[in-house]
Amino acid sequence: MSIERGIRGRTRWSRRLLPLVAVAVVATGCGSSAAPATTGPAAASQPATAGASAPAASTTGQAACGGEQVSLTEWYHQYGEEGTREAALRYAEEFTKANPNVQVKVEWVPGDYFQKVRAALLTESGPDIFETTLADPALVAAGSMADLTDIFTPEVRAEFDPRSFTAYTIDNKIYGLPFIIDVVGLMYYRKSMLDAAGLSVPKTWEDFAVAAKKLTSGSAKGVFFGNDGGISQAYTLVHAAGGEMVKDDKTVAYNTPEAAAAITTLGAMNQEGSVLLGSPTEWYDPTALNNGFAAMQFGGLWMMPAVKKALADDFVIGPVPASGAGGKGAVALSQWGAAVNGKSKNIACAKEYITWKWLKNDAIQTDFNLSYGFHLPPRLALQKSAEALQSGPAADAVKILADNGFVDSVYFSGAVSTPFQDAVAGIVKEGKDAAAELGKAAPISQKELDALRGS
Amino acid sequence: MSGSPVGSKSSVRARQASRRRMRVPAFWLFVGPFLAGLMAFTFVPIGWGFVLSFFRARATATPTQFVGLENYLVLLTSSAFQQALLTGVAFTIFIVPLSFAGALGLALMVHRLPVLSGASRSVFFLPAACSYVVGSLIWKMNIFNGLPFGLANSVLATFHIGPFAWVGTVNPPLYWVVLVTVRLWLQLGAFMIIFIAGLQEIPRPLYEAAAVDGARPGWQTFRHVTWPLLRNTSVAVALLLAIGAVQAFDEFYNIFAGLSTGAGQGTAGSFLVRPPMVYLFNVAFTDADLGRGAAGTFIVTAIVVLFVIVPARRLGFGREQRA
């Protein structure tokens, strides 16, 4: 569950805009019922917007895309930030300019992105290139994700944070080319509210619970983890308690006394009423923090510009605090990467296109990460050269990611993660015994994991 | 056609034959497209789903590995699926009687109104024009949001109760208030119309005869005239309500959606409140296990047939109404 919760809904919503947002959500919801195999706007027919700001191509791909006419389809999920789609279209145009025989059709997919990708990949006319957060074991087994290992020579690998590949690797083969890093699980603290309560930023998970209780007063709650009270964020707590979800891609590992203790503390916060529930927006949106509905919020790097705009410097960030003696602060390193459809007729050309875009072209990677939203370029050199990341909370976030970032195994998703979350739901919502619930869930997860590996 | 004078036996027969010959292509012209659509979009998918349910079909719709009844056995022994079925049953038990009584009550009221009967019908029917998604989002974000300024909480605040986190509270399960009221609001009007149609079918003279025989207006007349003659309508409404309740997806998905999904690959719908359709949606499209998902739909279908359609047939649904 960890790696796939990435970037979503970073549009800045104000409370007044909610009805509009609801309408927009509805509109996308209605569109989601059809399986989009070949639909979508023909991006290639969009007017070229390449202007002075457009990054220049550092190389021009030829070999694999050379020769006859090729048409590639590329899927993105719907990014919230303005200008992102235009940027994606511009990169595609640029590639076509360098390779006139290649047309790239960019499709912007609103709504339940992953469900639609899976449905489209079942058909003959699935996208040639799609962005994804992980090498999905089921898709890899079905041959729907092409092996990209040959792109990653030792020199290329050295350009990345080594953790970047965890989510894209199955049996030593790499199935995705990371182009966006998001830090998920950054805790945002309202400085003024902490000061008013005479508190400093909590160093441990236990102190955090105490602070949450103290900060709950009047109409403000102590902390906002999202409207489920933190159930879907509990995987971060397992890491903060020094554990992990799946060990070596083989063994379900979340069932430890330390993890149970950390999740019990989350349950206690919920039962004491220190946790904000039923907010009109979710954890990935800073509205609750900005409006003071809660003094602390579980969030991500992408919301920092919106928080800064609303609160100026009235905020501090940190990882999810360490729990127990063997614990360590934790944030999830979440990514979007480009994958190639294993059943595409143009695998070689598709690979060349994504390599041109996300590996050889520094300007595009920096532009896509930092000109519209706020993300980290996965290639380390670009993190060091990007001006926006050199000072203030942004620099803190880069450091927090370096020190506290974790990535879970690709096998911790779907059917493997559901029993864990059901167990956490029982602990958090109904006050059930954590050790017992995790003990019951782990064998079910293990069975699903074995089935996934066997398939 | 033949040109022979009208009345000649042979020409009549020829015309009849030619008309019969014409009738066959005409039949297929009208029924063909419909049948083709039904085949392509209903029967073939059902058949294919049935086949899939016996295969290991992960992220593929053309599986090769036959697993027999494994998908069915895994689901039936899974505590999560059992819990989902229980949730579905609990929802059905809440919603069917409430909707039934509400719709019938509204119909009786509106049917009897001396003035503004048409306007009231429209007013009560209007919510049916709203989609479940819109209704769910308004219920979740505006009326029942957990902040002190949410509509429900502000109203309760004047009585010094609350505020409550409606959707997020499990003890007591306040989310049922949200789920049940949104569905009532959305579907009462439509079922009210069905009941009004049923009421209009009842011949006036029967009421007059009952009055002459000394039946008091109100309960006695309702019990002995209206209710028995509404039976076909009642059974149909109950049947539709029950099937709708088992199929419940939209409001659960939308009210609980943001609660648990990160960026789409997360489990859709709440962890605690997962009716069968949401559970199976997750299995089929989030876990990409189409075989198990298909098996689940056949289990749910079997349950509907066994516990809803068979009893409804026994109550006379689909038979001629006795006058």
Side-chain angles (χ1 to χ4, degrees):
Chain A
M1 280 295 287
S2 61
I3 38 230
E4 61 261 23
R5 62 194 53 259
I7 311 114
R8 167 155 148 177
R10 275 136 304 146
T11 355
R12 283 170 222 125
W13 297 354
S14 80
R15 229 182 308 152
R16 247 175 304 148
L17 277 176
L18 273 175
L20 277 181
V21 171
V23 170
V25 170
V26 171
T28 57
C30 292
S32 74
S33 51
T38 55
T39 55
S45 66
Q46 292 268 339
T49 48
S53 67
S58 57
T59 62
T60 49
Q62 264 138 25
C65 292
E68 67 224 78
Q69 206 65 27
V70 179
S71 172
L72 296 174
T73 319
E74 182 182 25
W75 277 27
Y76 288 90
H77 82 287
Q78 184 173 26
Y79 285 80
E81 301 99 347
E82 230 173 279
T84 317
R85 178 160 185 267
E86 289 69 23
L89 293 171
R90 201 167 61 228
Y91 309 149
E93 291 280 345
E94 246 178 77
F95 188 72
T96 302
K97 228 178 262 172
N99 304 267
N101 60 320
V102 184
Q103 291 289 326
V104 184
K105 226 169 121 180
V106 174
E107 295 195 8
W108 214 241
V109 182
D112 293 338
Y113 175 74
F114 288 101
Q115 276 89 344
K116 288 182 187 176
V117 168
R118 287 211 185 83
L121 288 175
L122 292 175
T123 68
E124 289 284 306
S125 49
D128 299 292
I129 301 150
F130 57 97
E131 58 168 3
T132 181
T133 51
L134 81 172
D136 186 312
L139 288 182
V140 168
S144 294
M145 291 181 83
D147 182 359
L148 307 178
T149 315
D150 56 352
I151 295 176
F152 297 98
T153 60
E155 300 81 62
V156 170
R157 289 190 69 122
E159 286 189 43
F160 289 83
D161 183 329
R163 291 171 299 190
S164 273
F165 298 108
T166 310
Y168 294 106
T169 306
I170 292 181
D171 295 335
N172 296 321
K173 288 187 186 141
I174 302 176
Y175 296 92
L177 170 52
F179 59 83
I180 272 192
I181 291 182
D182 263 307
V183 187
V184 180
L186 273 186
M187 295 298 319
Y188 285 77
Y189 303 90
R190 284 287 291 263
K191 232 191 266 173
S192 56
M193 291 168 92
L194 289 185
D195 289 346
L199 293 163
S200 54
V201 172
K203 291 272 181 309
T204 68
W205 184 235
E206 294 71 26
D207 289 349
F208 186 93
V210 175
K213 197 174 181 186
K214 269 196 192 157
L215 289 163
T216 302
S217 67
S219 61
K221 292 284 187 180
V223 57
F224 184 48
F225 291 111
N227 289 320
D228 66 357
I231 297 168
S232 48
Q233 320 301 1
Y235 67 95
T236 315
L237 296 180
V238 175
H239 287 271
E244 57 185 328
M245 306 311 297
V246 169
K247 201 171 164 47
D248 301 330
D249 284 356
K250 285 197 185 79
T251 322
V252 170
Y254 59 70
N255 178 23
T256 64
E258 293 80 16
I263 296 167
T264 304
T265 306
L266 176 67
M269 272 187 253
N270 271 271
Q271 266 119 46
E272 287 165 4
S274 321
V275 175
L276 173 64
L277 298 170
S279 173
T281 51
E282 266 301 331
W283 63 273
Y284 44 76
D285 180 291
T287 302
L289 182 84
N290 290 352
N291 291 340
F293 303 160
M296 312 188 276
Q297 183 176 334
F298 181 101
L301 181 64
W302 58 86
M303 59 174 75
M304 192 180 280
V307 174
K308 227 176 189 167
K309 196 174 164 202
L311 303 177
D313 53 3
D314 180 20
F315 75 99
V316 200
I317 55 166
V320 171
S323 172
K328 189 179 179 219
V331 289
L333 184 157
S334 164
Q335 295 173 110
W336 284 103
V340 173
N341 183 351
K343 293 166 184 161
S344 161
K345 289 178 192 71
N346 300 304
I347 292 182
C349 185
K351 273 162 86 171
E352 186 176 319
Y353 171 61
I354 61 169
T355 317
W356 169 82
K357 187 158 66 163
W358 299 127
L359 208 53
K360 296 181 182 161
N361 201 317
D362 297 354
I364 285 184
Q365 187 158 127
T366 309
D367 181 61
F368 195 70
N369 278 285
L370 290 160
S371 297
Y372 317 99
F374 199 62
H375 320 281
L376 301 182
R379 289 164 60 211
L380 295 171
L382 300 180
Q383 280 182 27
K384 293 203 179 79
S385 66
E387 211 173 295
L389 302 174
Q390 302 314 311
S391 61
D396 295 346
V398 175
K399 188 169 170 356
I400 290 168
L401 181 70
D403 296 344
N404 303 91
F406 68 84
V407 183
D408 271 315
S409 156
V410 292
Y411 289 99
F412 189 71
S413 64
V416 181
S417 68
T418 307
F420 171 74
Q421 282 167 336
D422 287 346
V424 175
I427 300 161
V428 168
K429 291 286 185 186
E430 298 175 304
K432 289 184 183 165
D433 179 62
E437 291 301 302
L438 293 180
K440 265 190 277 175
I444 309 176
S445 286
Q446 186 65 53
K447 216 168 129 193
E448 295 289 346
L449 195 156
D450 294 341
L452 211 52
R453 286 186 62 88
S455 70
Chain B
M1 277 166 254
S2 65
S4 50
V6 182
S8 137
K9 247 184 179 178
S10 66
S11 85
V12 169
R13 210 170 292 142
R15 235 180 300 150
Q16 277 175 344
S18 102
R19 212 177 288 157
R20 224 173 289 137
R21 271 197 306 277
M22 286 295 290
R23 226 176 272 161
V24 174
F27 173 81
W28 286 112
L29 188 67
F30 282 106
V31 175
F34 171 70
L35 201 65
L38 203 62
M39 283 303 286
F41 297 111
T42 304
F43 292 132
V44 170
I46 290 176
W48 200 333
F50 193 62
V51 173
L52 277 183
S53 72
F54 296 103
F55 282 83
R56 169 183 290 265
R58 281 186 190 265
T60 171
T62 48
T64 50
Q65 197 184 342
F66 183 79
V67 291
L69 289 173
E70 191 192 289
N71 287 326
Y72 288 90
L73 292 176
V74 167
L75 276 176
L76 288 171
T77 53
S78 143
S79 61
F81 185 61
Q82 290 163 3
Q83 183 63 45
L85 288 177
L86 274 181
T87 304
V89 169
F91 184 61
T92 310
I93 288 173
F94 266 117
I95 199 75
V96 174
L98 274 176
S99 300
F100 188 94
L104 181 57
L106 277 181
L108 289 170
M109 255 163 44
V110 171
H111 186 57
R112 286 292 195 77
L113 274 185
V115 285
L116 286 180
S117 143
S120 325
R121 261 181 238 182
S122 311
V123 166
F124 288 121
F125 182 69
L126 264 181
C130 180
S131 92
Y132 268 78
V133 180
V134 175
S136 306
L137 291 177
I138 293 172
W139 249 246
K140 167 188 170 179
M141 290 176 161
N142 296 12
I143 302 180
F144 287 108
N145 80 38
L147 298 169
F149 55 73
L151 182 60
N153 281 336
S154 352
V155 170
L156 287 180
T158 56
F159 303 102
H160 303 286
I161 311 172
F164 298 112
W166 295 94
V167 176
T169 309
V170 169
N171 263 329
L174 292 177
Y175 53 82
W176 284 121
V177 176
V178 186
L179 289 167
V180 169
T181 51
V182 71
R183 186 167 270 244
L184 282 180
W185 185 75
L186 284 163
Q187 71 178 12
L188 273 191
F191 287 100
M192 173 197 76
I193 296 288
I194 300 181
F195 271 125
I196 288 179
L199 288 172
Q200 284 170 342
E201 288 270 290
I202 303 173
R204 280 256 132 221
L206 279 177
Y207 287 102
E208 286 153 19
V212 169
D213 287 348
R216 282 185 301 275
W219 173 248
Q220 217 171 24
T221 308
F222 174 78
R223 169 71 187 79
H224 294 288
V225 182
T226 313
W227 180 247
L229 286 167
L230 259 186
R231 194 179 70 168
N232 262 12
T233 312
S234 305
V235 174
V237 167
L239 183 72
L240 291 174
L241 282 171
I243 292 176
V246 176
Q247 288 183 330
F249 177 85
D250 305 39
E251 70 266 51
F252 286 86
Y253 186 81
N254 287 293
I255 289 175
F256 295 105
L259 295 194
S260 44
T261 48
Q265 252 178 335
T267 318
S270 163
F271 306 105
L272 288 166
V273 200
R274 217 163 27 198
M277 286 306 133
V278 172
Y279 178 84
L280 294 174
F281 177 85
N282 286 338
V283 167
F285 300 109
T286 308
D287 305 349
D289 194 338
L290 298 178
R292 210 185 280 180
T297 59
F298 283 98
I299 294 175
V300 173
T301 309
I303 291 171
V304 170
V305 169
L306 217 62
F307 293 101
V308 180
I309 295 181
V310 169
R313 293 289 299 190
R314 305 194 106 204
L315 279 170
F317 178 68
R319 270 186 250 150
E320 279 294 307
Q321 179 145 13
R322 281 166 300 163

